Amino acid sequence: MDTSIVKKVYLFSTLDDDTLGKIAGIVCERPYKKNEMIFFEGDPGEAVYFVEKGKVKIYKINSGGKEQIIHIMQDGDVFAESVLFTGLDYPANAEALEDSVIGVLKCDKLEELIMENSGLAVSIINFMGRRLQFVSGQIENLGLKDAMGRVASVIVGLADKGAYTPKGIMTDFALSRQEVAGLAGTTRETATRVLSALQKQGCINIEKDKLYIKDIKKLKGLY
């Protein structure tokens, strides 16, 4: 794999060229069709993945059979890193939401590189710390916030990869109402009503596959 592709992965973006080359040397590229499963919860945790191109849904199924989306992974995002050095099974399901190309890093090979490279080790630790903060926020979000606050929190999360425009913070909103609902831990109908209400309140504006955040301060005040 070309090192320029590896450098676009957030986890590896600050590493030197020599380390990037070593990582590129152990990456396997795999294409996945829309709705194809990458792994199931409970499968042996044999690899760490990143999205080279496409979109991946990470989710669990609760005891009532309801899907709870944990995260939507996009270009440059890493997932399943929790299995590194643990030998544990995958804690959730991963499914391609669209035709995607996924980079696969076998745990044993990646672990060898981490042991040999302190810069890579620090990068992994920082990344896992940030991911833990994100998951902790999700738990708080689902446990303490009402539907309006949870949907607002999901939208604010999109701002991280947004671009500032005269219309507001422009985000890629190629998420279905069901996916928004899953991320917010609510129903599709409720998510649709909340998005409509937020638009009427002037917090957001949805145009086809783009969502403009017009008042992020007001959104943050909802949770």
Side-chain angles (χ1 to χ4, degrees):
M1 172 178 283
D2 193 312
T3 57
S4 64
I5 296 175
V6 177
K7 193 172 181 64
K8 292 178 181 178
V9 178
Y10 174 77
L11 173 58
F12 306 132
S13 60
T14 61
L15 298 175
D16 59 68
D17 290 341
D18 181 59
T19 303
L20 289 173
K22 291 178 180 179
I23 295 171
I26 64 171
V27 175
C28 294
E29 289 181 304
R30 291 182 189 169
Y32 288 88
K33 294 293 186 181
K34 181 179 180 179
N35 298 327
E36 185 177 356
M37 295 300 298
I38 298 169
F39 55 77
F40 289 93
E41 180 177 0
D43 284 349
E46 299 175 339
V48 176
Y49 302 78
F50 66 84
V51 182
E52 182 179 332
K53 180 181 179 181
K55 193 174 296 181
V56 173
K57 174 174 66 175
I58 310 298
Y59 69 98
K60 294 175 73 73
I61 303 295
N62 65 23
S63 57
K66 182 180 178 181
E67 180 181 288
Q68 173 61 58
I69 299 177
I70 299 170
H71 203 74
I72 302 294
M73 300 296 179
Q74 303 186 63
D75 294 5
D77 286 337
V78 172
F79 57 101
E81 75 287 344
S82 64
V83 301
L84 276 173
F85 293 106
T86 67
L88 298 175
D89 298 336
Y90 292 116
N93 306 286
E95 175 186 344
L97 285 176
E98 60 188 37
D99 290 352
S100 303
V101 179
I102 306 299
V104 184
L105 291 153
K106 289 291 186 180
C107 285
D108 54 353
K109 294 182 179 180
L110 182 56
E111 288 166 1
E112 286 179 9
L113 282 183
I114 293 170
M115 295 292 287
E116 297 169 358
N117 189 297
S118 59
L120 178 56
V122 170
S123 183
I124 292 282
I125 291 169
N126 286 337
F127 176 80
M128 288 185 166
R130 290 177 181 272
R131 183 59 57 82
L132 181 59
Q133 281 188 318
F134 171 79
V135 173
S136 296
Q138 277 192 311
I139 293 171
E140 179 186 6
N141 188 7
L142 293 174
L144 301 178
K145 300 167 187 172
D146 61 16
M148 177 74 81
R150 293 199 297 271
V151 173
S153 180
V154 170
I155 294 171
V156 170
L158 296 174
D160 291 340
K161 293 188 176 181
Y164 285 87
T165 75
K167 293 182 178 181
I169 303 174
M170 183 182 70
T171 69
D172 179 7
F173 195 61
L175 297 176
S176 70
R177 298 298 188 270
Q178 186 59 55
E179 288 161 1
V180 173
L183 285 167
T186 188
T187 64
R188 183 183 185 280
E189 293 74 16
T190 298
T192 299
R193 287 197 297 270
V194 169
L195 288 170
S196 178
L198 291 174
Q199 192 158 218
K200 289 178 181 178
Q201 293 174 22
C203 296
I204 63 172
N205 187 39
I206 300 173
E207 297 180 7
K208 295 183 179 180
D209 62 345
K210 300 296 181 184
L211 181 147
Y212 294 89
I213 299 175
K214 301 175 68 176
D215 193 338
I216 194 167
K217 184 176 180 180
K218 189 173 181 179
L219 285 173
K220 289 180 177 179
L222 295 173
Y223 61 90

